[in-house]
Amino acid sequence: MSALENVELTSQPNGAAAEAAGRIAVENPATGQIIGYVDDTPADRVAAEVERARKAQPGWEALGFEGRARKLKDLRTWLVENRKRVIDTLVAEGGKTREDALLADLWYACDSLGFWGRKAPKFLADERVKTRSPFLLGKRIFVRYRPMGVVGVIGPWNYPLTNTFGDAIPALAAGNTVVMKPSEITPLTNLLLVEGVEAVGFPPGVLSVVTGAGETGAALVDNVDMIMFTGSTRTGKKVLARAAERLTPVSLELGGKDPLIVLSDADLERAANMAVQWSMSNSGQICMAIERAYVEAPVYDQFVASVVDKVRNLRQGAPGAPGSVDIGAMTFPPQIEIVERHVRDAVDKGAEVLVGGHRVEGPGRFYEPTVLTGVDHTMDVMRDETFGPVLPIMKVRDADEAVELANDSRYGLNSSVFTRDVAKGESIARRLDAGNSCVNDACINYLAQDAPFGGTGESGLGVRHGPQGIRKYCSQQTILVTRFGPKREPTMFPNKRIMSRMFERLMVLMWGPRRKRR
Ligand code: NAD
């Protein structure tokens, strides 16, 4: 499939006709304009695409680590050369700022292409296993990581490069071929990538894209050898259940409700800057966004005042030139309704809106950066994923209460604690039920691709990044090699009384009760 064979760029709003023709209209959420149409790929075409990827896999694997790393680097060069088109597409389909497109999507993808190319040979090297069993004396045992075959990557709409393509990169570096199913809300950037892989000479079928909605994703689950899914917890559970039918391995990166704890000895200016940055960035549409804050009573008023002041100064609007706005649009139409519902529910139960609290009228889909106080855990905004530019702040007695409330969640993705006492911060981080925790920081931990990133509870299964982030795309094979073996080993037939006794004595000698010294 050529890169843009199934995309038709347009500026004419004609969504209904496109849907009737089995196509999906792609909207610019900041302007309301339809910017393209893509295929709603049916199940039989998904199966055919996976088949094509299956045929391409042995050749791709045969290139070896070095050959594949070279291709990944070529693709990185193509991305940098074509950065304007890539960023424009990310901004147009996501409604995000140019800075978010550049740093959180494109930069990450470029870094990742080099990282996995370099690290794959180390993380997937054969591992020698030492065993103490006397029955294995003289035998060599090692574990080898073998690519699974065709990996299906299903992604969300908030980071088309980082969270769809980003997961394809280690799968490719390991020697798999990949079929990506980007979100139907933001499919255009991933289609552009297919143009890139063709331009730099990836063999056909190594990395391809099927566009479509849930049915297309489900068809991918039905056909591939491994599924990497990023999206909501609700869909993640469906994917897991469907994959169970064929016992297809699954890795899930799901939703979050990440807490921020601010202790009274914290650098309040830094904590407030971090709170605003990582609750409002990309309109809060980040799985590891700060979604709730717990602040110790003595510094609560000062922290809230500082956050409110900073939020008031944020510039929101349709992204234009670099540096023109801080906050862009809400990408996904139903998401703005969830945000409105959470704020309404909080206000109905007694919360106070200190800034924001409304949808912005006009073309495009925007929700004002919002700060809530007077919140508690009876409110949806403190318990369910909001995924919008909303920061509820709750006053707590002390660190223990903060930890208890932070852990009162079905999610466990990221978390942060701010204190000048780093040892105390670390000990609090260790008590948080989350896959990842930062002390005096937030979100930036995602860039540490050497370290595993994943969620506990309903935030996911498995990890990305680190050795496990590429081994998950491989099956393990344990190989035992006997070079110099006797014709007959002592454990072989026929069973003999003398040997039986010998093994029994050996067992007592090794693990039996020790004789007391006289
Ligand atoms: P979503 O679950 O609605 O959709 C994700 C993808 O799944 C889309 O491509 C969609 O078409 C596909 N899909 C839908 N139904 C399917 C089915 N039955 N079978 C297979 N695929 C199906 O999620 P979303 O709204 O696109 O993304 C937002 C969510 O993603 C948020 O909850 C956010 O926290 C989460 N997210 C998590 C991470 C992470 O790393 N943990 C990163 C980014 C986003």
Side-chain angles (χ1 to χ4, degrees), residues 319-338:
S324 56
V325 288
D326 303 310
I327 312 286
M330 297 290 300
T331 310
F332 184 44
Q335 201 63 44
I336 200 160
E337 278 148 35
I338 294 173

Side-chain angles (χ1 to χ4, degrees), residues 341-353:
R341 184 160 53 72
H342 281 193
V343 172
R344 203 167 42 241
D345 171 74
V347 170
D348 287 350
K349 289 173 180 163
E352 195 183 342
V353 179

Side-chain angles (χ1 to χ4, degrees), residues 154-158 163 181-184 213-214 217-218 229-232 235 238-239 253-256 287 332 385 387 413 453 464:
I154 301 177
W157 42 260
N158 57 340
N163 288 148
K181 207 298 282 172
S183 168
E184 62 275 30
F229 174 86
T230 306
S232 65
T235 312
K238 284 190 207 163
V239 166
E253 296 285 348
L254 310 177
C287 58
F332 184 44
E385 188 179 48
F387 223 57
L413 197 54
F453 176 90
R464 54 164 70 101

Side-chain angles (χ1 to χ4, degrees), residues 220-358:
L220 193 60
V221 176
D222 288 345
N223 285 279
V224 292
D225 305 310
M226 192 273 177
I227 271 287
M228 172 65 224
F229 174 86
T230 306
S232 65
T233 299
R234 194 166 45 87
T235 312
K237 288 178 183 174
K238 284 190 207 163
V239 166
L240 186 60
R242 189 141 186 158
E245 298 285 320
R246 295 169 57 238
L247 276 187
T248 304
V250 176
S251 187
L252 303 174
E253 296 285 348
L254 310 177
K257 189 75 201 169
D258 297 351
L260 160 76
I261 295 175
V262 181
L263 301 187
S264 36
D265 67 344
D267 176 342
L268 281 195
E269 179 62 12
R270 179 172 170 81
N273 277 330
M274 285 280 176
V276 174
Q277 179 71 35
W278 295 117
S279 61
M280 303 298 164
S281 216
N282 198 21
S283 287
Q285 301 167 122
I286 305 180
C287 58
M288 56 197 296
I290 293 172
E291 288 239 345
R292 52 199 170 114
Y294 303 98
V295 183
E296 273 192 320
V299 292
Y300 174 81
D301 289 339
Q302 196 186 335
F303 178 80
V304 169
S306 172
V307 165
V308 168
D309 187 45
K310 291 172 197 302
V311 169
R312 270 193 218 291
N313 286 319
L314 292 173
R315 298 160 304 159
Q316 184 175 42
S324 56
V325 288
D326 303 310
I327 312 286
M330 297 290 300
T331 310
F332 184 44
Q335 201 63 44
I336 200 160
E337 278 148 35
I338 294 173
V339 175
E340 283 184 313
R341 184 160 53 72
H342 281 193
V343 172
R344 203 167 42 241
D345 171 74
V347 170
D348 287 350
K349 289 173 180 163
E352 195 183 342
V353 179
L354 298 190
V355 52
H358 301 100

